[in-house]
Amino acid sequence: MNREMKVDIAVIGGGVGGCAAALAACGMGHTVYMAEACDWIGGQLTSQAVPPDEHPWIEQFGCTRSYRKFRDHVRSYYRHYYPLSDAGRSSVYLNPGNGGVSRLCAEPRAMLAVLQLMLAPYVNSGKLIIQTRTKAVKAEVERDSVRAVTVQDACGDKTTIHARYFLDATECGDLLPLTGVEYVTGAESKRDTKEPHALDGPANPLDIQAFTYCFAMDYFEGEDHTIDKPKDYEFWRSFQPPIWPNPLLNWVSPDPRTLEPTEEALFPGTDKYPLFLYRRIIDKSNFTEGTYSSDISLVNWAQNDYFLGNIYDVPDHESHKHLRQAKQLSYSLLYWLQTEAPRPDGKAGYPGLRLRPDVVGTEDGMAQAPYIRESRRIKAEFTVLEQHVSAALRGEEGAESFADSVGIGCYRIDLHPSMSGRTFLDISSVPFQIPLGSLIPRRMNNLLAACKNIGTTHITNGCFRLHPVEWNIGESAGYTAAFCLAKDYTPREVRADKNKLTDLQKLLKEHGIELSWPKVGPV
């Protein structure tokens, strides 16, 4: 079956950026189609099971109005529908999990419910059509414009989407090769970008950050929930990367900032950092007694970062192999925790750890999709470099000021180990702006990047890839497409014309998008 559909704007990819783009475009009165490969929309927040990584000022400023609305709604969702304890009810900034990584660690299903509620008026009015378990498989391009994109659902049925604008919000930039948009992957050469931390030698398109299959677990001391021994357990049990001080399945791993061997623990009670609290999404003390029988934590640790091979721009059999092996790594980590992990009491293993497939919405217990840190990136009108955002290079001057700012973001330049064997890079950055030029391909007229596939480098991807930044990118892409449709402009024309750019920026500010930072320090 192959059908046709016509809308104003097509958003391919329903992750964080895709949802924000759809909200913006629909809010401007346009018809929108959104395709998402997973069962759940929401990307990092839901199907990848990654609580939001955010900057220290997030409760006061430094994000878009709609992202703040999303955060507020997640808290309201718990307040309205969950039996909170006195401690939970009295918390002004309720953090359901009290996890160390974020001020808003919550269940993926709660995040999903809020996204669906925010999009519901447009879905129910017919302005927004969402297809899940659906991927782009073909594109029709005429000269420098995309005319249509064909998507295929899980049943094999195809739909050809005709639209005036196409936004690529896929996790890996999947629309770029289909449409012929020029893009880069991997690490650039210092010779080309002059970035201090770029490669000394030639660029390496395969030098891509690790991806991770996250999973949820809870714990019951005295019980045994040990999973079957994973098929590849012996391999992962003995695997020691050259950049690691010991086998990967170990409490000791490199500190991302200093690279010194650092020992961690599972639970509080020692002088080591307790990893169970790191991405804890349910702290049962926030709820009335009996609501949860255990705290729940998401596992996205250094120990289950997979960096033995990439999953895009490689043959399908190779992609499938690395996806399978990445899952095996995560299963092996859990099995090691359950059976062999050293405990402070001198025993080995925590068999009371229980895998929670229901939390992530799968049968096998792994997240619906791997957490992708680094996508294909467009060759953009403007590419953000380390020199624009590095605290060491910018000093008190702050980040480079961009006249075409369409938003702001803030996070450290945080790179995980890469497929070529390079170790962590975690250095301080300064709060930065998102330039419109980084969303615009050099040649294509009606396609915008709407997530972490914008014009960054391997280095600056490390601070532009986080949840609130991706939301801002997607939202600004949605508003930019809507603005161009209303005015019959192209994004490139808007960026090149001061008056048109001013009008777009005025629209963005009216809809709650901050374009510059107050005076704050580095992170």
Side-chain angles (χ1 to χ4, degrees):
M1 176 178 162
N2 195 344
R3 58 177 182 155
E4 308 275 326
M5 184 184 300
K6 187 174 183 180
V7 293
D8 297 328
I9 298 169
V11 180
I12 308 301
V16 176
C19 288
L23 276 170
C26 288
M28 294 295 291
H30 291 290
T31 55
V32 176
Y33 168 86
M34 184 167 74
E36 166 53 36
C38 294
D39 288 335
W40 293 351
I41 60 171
Q44 295 185 68
L45 293 166
T46 61
S47 60
Q48 296 175 32
V50 184
D53 291 294
E54 299 170 330
H55 57 72
W57 309 283
I58 192 68
E59 303 293 0
Q60 287 74 43
F61 55 85
C63 67
T64 75
R65 183 190 300 154
S66 68
Y67 184 73
R68 188 168 305 286
K69 186 177 180 181
F70 165 76
R71 299 177 85 256
D72 291 345
H73 282 350
V74 171
R75 287 176 170 143
S76 294
Y77 184 81
Y78 278 93
R79 289 193 175 105
H80 280 92
Y81 300 110
Y82 285 66
L84 297 180
S85 64
D86 290 342
R89 280 196 306 272
S90 63
S91 176
V92 176
Y93 297 120
L94 174 63
N95 188 346
N98 288 325
V101 75
S102 173
R103 290 164 176 79
L104 190 63
C105 287
E107 297 154 296
R109 287 185 186 275
M111 303 278 194
L112 172 65
V114 170
L115 288 172
Q116 290 173 328
L117 287 169
M118 293 176 74
L119 291 167
Y122 308 117
V123 172
N124 294 336
S125 65
K127 279 194 172 66
L128 174 62
I129 297 170
I130 301 175
Q131 270 192 287
T132 56
R133 303 179 70 195
T134 300
K135 298 180 180 181
V137 294
K138 179 184 175 183
E140 299 172 26
V141 178
E142 184 178 332
R143 295 178 184 171
D144 293 331
S145 293
V146 183
R147 295 305 181 199
V149 169
T150 299
V151 298
Q152 184 171 350
D153 65 21
C155 296
D157 293 333
K158 295 181 179 180
T159 306
T160 298
I161 313 299
H162 300 269
R164 293 176 63 188
Y165 271 87
F166 292 85
L167 308 186
D168 186 344
T170 60
E171 299 300 325
C172 297
D174 295 338
L175 208 52
L176 306 183
L178 289 177
T179 56
V181 169
E182 293 80 7
Y183 66 90
V184 297
T185 64
E188 290 84 357
S189 168
K190 190 177 297 183
R191 180 179 60 231
D192 298 324
T193 67
K194 309 298 188 295
E195 294 173 298
H197 289 92
L199 296 178
D200 289 323
N204 184 351
L206 301 179
D207 191 10
I208 295 165
Q209 285 189 73
F211 66 90
T212 305
Y213 263 109
C214 305
F215 61 91
M217 62 183 186
D218 53 15
Y219 181 69
F220 300 90
E221 181 65 36
E223 297 184 10
D224 189 346
H225 298 282
T226 305
I227 63 172
D228 293 338
K229 184 177 180 180
K231 179 182 177 182
D232 295 348
Y233 181 68
E234 294 303 330
F235 170 82
W236 289 115
R237 183 176 180 271
S238 61
F239 177 64
Q240 181 171 349
I243 58 176
W244 234 254
N246 40 257
L248 185 63
L249 302 185
N250 198 287
W251 289 127
V252 178
S253 59
D255 181 280
R257 300 187 185 186
T258 67
L259 302 183
E260 292 297 316
T262 303
E263 185 175 357
E264 294 161 320
L266 184 58
F267 295 119
T270 72
D271 60 349
K272 311 298 189 297
Y273 184 80
L275 285 172
F276 194 88
L277 303 189
Y278 182 43
R279 295 184 186 273
R280 185 174 60 177
I281 56 172
I282 287 296
D283 178 350
K284 68 177 184 178
S285 70
N286 274 328
F287 305 88
T288 58
E289 188 173 352
T291 304
Y292 288 91
S293 51
S294 166
D295 294 354
I296 303 174
S297 184
L298 286 171
V299 179
N300 175 19
W301 304 347
Q303 289 90 336
N304 62 329
D305 274 359
Y306 182 85
F307 42 84
L308 296 188
N310 193 40
I311 58 172
Y312 55 83
D313 289 358
V314 296
D316 286 347
H317 73 272
E318 189 171 337
S319 174
H320 295 154
K321 178 186 75 172
H322 293 307
L323 288 169
R324 186 195 67 80
Q325 290 181 168
K327 278 192 178 183
Q328 280 288 304
L329 169 57
S330 288
Y331 284 129
S332 296
L333 172 58
L334 175 60
Y335 187 77
W336 177 81
L337 290 169
Q338 292 173 323
T339 61
E340 295 193 68
R343 298 170 51 135
D345 60 9
K347 299 178 183 178
Y350 297 86
L353 289 171
R354 181 176 65 166
L355 187 64
R356 291 292 303 273
D358 55 315
V359 171
V360 296
T362 63
E363 292 184 4
D364 66 9
M366 294 295 116
Q368 294 177 23
Y371 174 32
I372 302 295
R373 294 182 176 86
E374 188 173 333
S375 169
R376 300 176 180 94
R377 307 182 297 278
I378 62 169
K379 289 187 177 180
E381 289 283 294
F382 183 85
T383 299
V384 182
L385 305 176
E386 183 181 355
Q387 296 91 304
H388 298 134
V389 298
S390 164
L393 300 177
R394 301 299 305 180
E396 293 186 6
E397 183 182 0
E400 182 81 14
S401 179
F402 297 128
D404 63 341
S405 173
V406 292
I408 58 176
C410 180
Y411 200 74
R412 291 175 64 84
I413 297 174
D414 173 14
L415 302 182
H416 284 235
S418 70
M419 306 300 174
S420 71
R422 287 205 295 163
T423 189
F424 295 93
L425 174 67
D426 191 329
I427 57 178
S428 183
S429 70
V430 285
F432 51 81
Q433 295 173 307
I434 303 166
L436 175 60
S438 67
L439 277 61
I440 305 173
R442 292 179 185 174
R443 180 180 55 81
M444 198 67 71
N445 291 317
N446 67 335
L447 184 146
L448 290 169
C451 56
K452 51 185 172 283
N453 53 357
I454 64 170
T456 58
T457 63
H458 175 74
I459 302 297
T460 54
N461 163 265
C463 60
F464 275 76
R465 65 179 172 83
L466 287 310
H467 307 63
V469 186
E470 183 182 342
W471 184 291
N472 195 151
I473 291 166
E475 186 173 357
S476 294
Y479 280 125
T480 298
F483 177 80
C484 289
L485 281 175
K487 302 289 187 179
D488 199 24
Y489 301 151
T490 67
R492 191 171 293 103
E493 289 172 342
V494 173
R495 181 172 182 262
D497 186 298
K498 184 178 180 181
N499 292 329
K500 295 173 183 175
L501 178 61
T502 299
D503 287 344
L504 171 62
Q505 291 174 322
K506 180 183 177 183
L507 173 73
L508 297 176
K509 288 189 284 187
E510 287 173 351
H511 285 85
I513 295 180
E514 300 173 31
L515 302 185
S516 61
W517 282 92
K519 185 67 175 177
V520 291
V523 293

